[in-house]
Every structure is written in structure tokens, then in C-alpha cells.
Amino acid sequence: MPQFSRELDVYQGFNFKKDKQSAVGYILNISIGGIALTADQETIADPEQPDKPLATKCVAVLNHYLWETGVTDALYFSGQISTANKQKIAEMLLGTFSNVEVVVKYVIYEYDPLAKKYFKSNFVDADLNGLLEKNGDALNIAVADDASREIQSPKNFRFQIGVKPKTLEQSINVAAASSKNIVKKWGVTETA
């Protein structure tokens, strides 16, 4: 089965330049265990309309995304988050996870050289409901102790999370080019 894996340009994500055509991605909102991380990354340009900012701030500027495209496969996000969100996650990691539910909304943009414009290559229209993935007994969530050196300002920290689908059929939009959209299912509804 094909996978959707993208290396994303963090510098371009924070400092969007119209003449550069690298892929960028953002976690627009996310809550982990019922605790919402704050959408506090500065207003970033909308790659589809570079003269306008995204409608909202984002939680994370992504540097990598992976989904094996199967209905039960996890989504893997790696990106940069603010100091305040780093502290929230560190507090979660030091405590005990009794609630492993994750609600997330994200978008990835790529450049279509034939259409000469950016397009959404992987995104969701509504929040996805999932669960923190486990690697053995450990939950697949981490945050760096030290600030990133890729982007000096605003101060930010590397964050990664794996999210498995709940037993609920949901949709993820994927695209190979600006007019080549496909809706794929994520999660399976449990039958009695």
C-alpha cells in the first residue's frame, strides 16, 4: 500500500516566501488527553493565497508527516511548538495518562509546478478523533528539552506524536496535484 510521507520546510513554514516552492504543514489545533494546546504560533501566510495570513494561528509548524494510508494506520507528526505548549506536554509526560484521546486538525501544502501554485496535499475538513499510539508500553509522544536551532525566533521546541484512529470512520483528503483530490477513510466503525 502506498504511503504519504513528506519532509516539510520549517523555515518556509515560519517565514513564507512566495518565490520558494517547498512543502509546508501545520497542526491547526490539537488536544491530548482533554488538554488543548494553544494555537500560539504567529500568523503565517496561507500558501494558496500568500498575500493573506491563515485564518487562525497554528499550534505547530511541521517538519515531517507520515501516514501509511491504511484505515487503521497511525498518523505521525513532527514539528515545532511554542515554549508554553512544550511546558504543557512536559507536564503531561511527567504525570500519568489516564486519557489518551487525541483530537487534531492539520493541513499540508505542496507546490504544483504545472499549475504554478500551492495546493492542499493532505488535510482534514473536521477534527480527527484518535488515540495516542503506543510503542510497547510507552506512548508515542515526545518533546525536546532544548530549543530548536533551525528557527531561533520565536523560541520553539521539537515535538512528535503518533495518533491511531478511534473505532470511528473519518475522512482524510489527499491530493497528488492541485486538481487531483482523493478522500481516504481513516478508522473503522465497530459493528455489533
Side-chain angles (χ1 to χ4, degrees):
M1 183 172 272
Q3 69 176 10
F4 191 102
S5 177
R6 296 294 185 272
E7 292 293 328
L8 303 165
D9 188 336
V10 172
Y11 185 83
Q12 176 80 339
F14 276 103
N15 305 291
F16 191 81
K17 296 188 181 346
K18 294 183 214 177
D19 60 344
K20 193 172 180 188
Q21 288 122 20
S22 53
V24 294
Y26 308 102
I27 292 178
L28 302 174
N29 63 58
I30 187 169
S31 88
I32 304 162
I35 298 168
L37 297 187
T38 307
D40 57 5
Q41 296 290 7
E42 289 302 313
T43 304
I44 295 160
D46 177 346
E48 292 178 309
Q49 303 173 62
D51 296 328
K52 297 181 181 175
L54 283 172
T56 59
K57 293 182 180 183
C58 67
V59 174
V61 176
L62 296 174
N63 55 29
H64 191 263
Y65 170 86
L66 170 65
W67 178 37
E68 297 283 345
T69 71
V71 294
T72 61
D73 290 335
L75 305 175
Y76 298 98
F77 300 95
S78 177
Q80 309 302 116
I81 60 172
S82 69
T83 302
N85 284 330
K86 178 244 187 221
Q87 291 172 347
K88 280 185 186 177
I89 292 170
E91 183 181 10
M92 287 180 214
L93 293 171
L94 292 170
T96 57
F97 271 97
S98 57
N99 179 350
V100 294
E101 292 185 3
V102 177
V103 178
V104 63
K105 187 172 185 182
Y106 69 94
V107 61
I108 294 170
Y109 296 94
E110 292 184 68
Y111 188 78
D112 182 337
L114 296 178
K116 297 188 180 354
K117 65 180 183 177
Y118 271 92
F119 66 99
K120 292 178 183 173
S121 65
N122 190 303
F123 66 99
V124 292
D125 294 318
D127 291 344
L128 289 178
N129 292 285
L131 303 167
L132 270 174
E133 182 193 46
K134 287 182 96 175
N135 287 335
D137 289 338
L139 294 170
N140 190 354
I141 181 172
V143 67
D145 291 327
D146 299 320
S148 170
R149 293 191 177 150
E150 287 177 275
I151 303 295
Q152 303 282 321
S153 180
K155 192 171 186 179
N156 60 89
F157 297 82
R158 173 75 60 108
F159 158 73
Q160 70 87 30
I161 189 169
V163 183
K164 295 284 280 183
K166 280 183 139 182
T167 52
L168 172 69
E169 190 173 286
Q170 302 169 79
S171 298
I172 296 176
N173 299 285
V174 293
S178 64
S179 59
K180 311 285 190 228
N181 301 323
I182 301 165
V183 177
K184 295 194 65 78
K185 296 298 176 198
W186 189 66
V188 179
T189 302
E190 197 170 35
T191 55

